[in-house]
Coordinates of all heavy atoms in Angstrom, one line a residue:
Y84 N 60.6 64.4 121.3 CA 59.8 64.5 122.5 C 60.0 66.0 123.0 O 61.1 66.5 123.1 CB 60.3 63.5 123.5 CG 60.2 62.1 123.0 CD1 61.3 61.5 122.4 CD2 59.0 61.4 123.1 CE1 61.2 60.2 121.9 CE2 58.9 60.1 122.5 CZ 60.0 59.6 121.9 OH 59.9 58.3 121.4
C85 N 58.9 66.6 123.3 CA 59.0 68.0 123.8 C 58.0 68.3 124.9 O 56.9 67.6 125.0 CB 58.8 69.0 122.6 SG 57.2 69.0 121.9
F86 N 58.3 69.3 125.6 CA 57.4 69.8 126.7 C 57.6 71.3 126.8 O 58.7 71.8 126.9 CB 57.7 69.1 128.0 CG 56.9 69.6 129.2 CD1 55.6 69.2 129.3 CD2 57.5 70.4 130.2 CE1 54.8 69.7 130.3 CE2 56.7 70.8 131.3 CZ 55.3 70.4 131.3
F87 N 56.5 72.0 126.8 CA 56.5 73.5 126.9 C 55.8 73.9 128.2 O 54.7 73.3 128.6 CB 55.7 74.2 125.8 CG 55.5 75.6 126.0 CD1 56.6 76.5 126.0 CD2 54.2 76.1 126.2 CE1 56.4 77.9 126.1 CE2 54.0 77.5 126.4 CZ 55.1 78.4 126.4
A88 N 56.4 74.8 129.0 CA 55.9 75.2 130.3 C 55.7 76.7 130.3 O 56.7 77.4 130.4 CB 56.8 74.8 131.4
P89 N 54.5 77.2 130.2 CA 54.3 78.6 130.2 C 54.5 79.2 131.6 O 54.1 78.6 132.6 CB 52.8 78.8 129.8 CG 52.2 77.5 130.2 CD 53.2 76.5 130.0
A90 N 55.2 80.3 131.7 CA 55.4 81.1 132.9 C 54.4 82.2 133.0 O 54.0 82.5 134.1 CB 56.9 81.6 133.0
I91 N 54.1 82.8 131.9 CA 53.2 84.0 131.9 C 52.3 83.9 130.7 O 52.6 83.2 129.6 CB 53.9 85.3 131.9 CG1 54.9 85.4 130.7 CG2 54.6 85.6 133.2 CD1 55.6 86.8 130.6
T92 N 51.1 84.5 130.8 CA 50.2 84.6 129.7 C 50.2 86.1 129.2 O 49.7 86.9 130.0 CB 48.8 84.1 130.1 OG1 48.8 82.8 130.5 CG2 47.8 84.3 128.9
L93 N 50.6 86.3 128.0 CA 50.6 87.7 127.5 C 49.4 87.9 126.7 O 48.7 86.9 126.3 CB 51.9 87.8 126.6 CG 53.2 87.7 127.2 CD1 54.3 87.6 126.2 CD2 53.5 88.8 128.2
P94 N 49.0 89.1 126.3 CA 47.8 89.3 125.5 C 47.8 88.5 124.2 O 46.7 88.1 123.8 CB 47.9 90.8 125.3 CG 48.6 91.4 126.4 CD 49.6 90.4 126.8
K95 N 49.0 88.3 123.7 CA 49.0 87.6 122.4 C 49.3 86.1 122.5 O 49.1 85.4 121.5 CB 50.2 88.2 121.5 CG 49.9 89.7 121.1 CD 51.1 90.2 120.3 CE 50.9 91.6 119.8 NZ 52.0 92.1 119.0
G96 N 49.7 85.6 123.7 CA 49.9 84.2 123.8 C 50.8 83.9 125.0 O 51.0 84.7 125.9
L97 N 51.3 82.6 125.0 CA 52.0 82.1 126.2 C 53.5 82.3 126.0 O 54.0 82.4 124.9 CB 51.7 80.6 126.3 CG 50.2 80.2 126.5 CD1 50.1 78.7 126.5 CD2 49.7 80.8 127.8
Y98 N 54.2 82.3 127.2 CA 55.7 82.5 127.1 C 56.3 81.8 128.3 O 55.8 81.8 129.4 CB 55.9 84.0 127.3 CG 57.3 84.5 126.8 CD1 57.5 84.5 125.4 CD2 58.3 85.0 127.6 CE1 58.8 85.0 124.9 CE2 59.5 85.4 127.2 CZ 59.7 85.4 125.8 OH 60.9 85.9 125.3
G99 N 57.4 81.1 128.0 CA 58.0 80.4 129.1 C 59.2 79.6 128.7 O 60.0 80.0 127.9
N100 N 59.4 78.4 129.3 CA 60.5 77.5 129.0 C 60.1 76.2 128.3 O 58.9 75.9 128.3 CB 61.2 77.1 130.3 CG 61.7 78.3 131.1 OD1 62.5 79.1 130.7 ND2 61.1 78.5 132.3
A101 N 61.0 75.5 127.7 CA 60.7 74.3 127.0 C 61.8 73.3 127.1 O 63.0 73.7 127.4 CB 60.3 74.5 125.6
L102 N 61.5 72.1 126.8 CA 62.5 71.0 126.7 C 62.2 70.2 125.5 O 61.1 69.8 125.2 CB 62.6 70.2 127.9 CG 63.7 69.0 127.9 CD1 64.4 69.0 129.2 CD2 63.0 67.7 127.6
I103 N 63.2 69.9 124.6 CA 63.1 68.9 123.6 C 64.2 67.8 123.8 O 65.2 68.1 124.3 CB 63.2 69.6 122.2 CG1 64.5 70.3 122.0 CG2 62.0 70.5 121.9 CD1 64.7 70.9 120.5
S104 N 63.8 66.6 123.4 CA 64.7 65.5 123.7 C 64.6 64.4 122.7 O 63.6 64.1 122.1 CB 64.3 64.9 125.1 OG 65.0 63.8 125.4

Side-chain angles (χ1 to χ4, degrees):
Y84 304 92
C85 69
F86 178 70
F87 171 69
I91 55 175
T92 300
L93 301 171
K95 295 181 179 181
L97 303 174
Y98 203 69
N100 303 299
L102 180 138
I103 59 175
S104 173

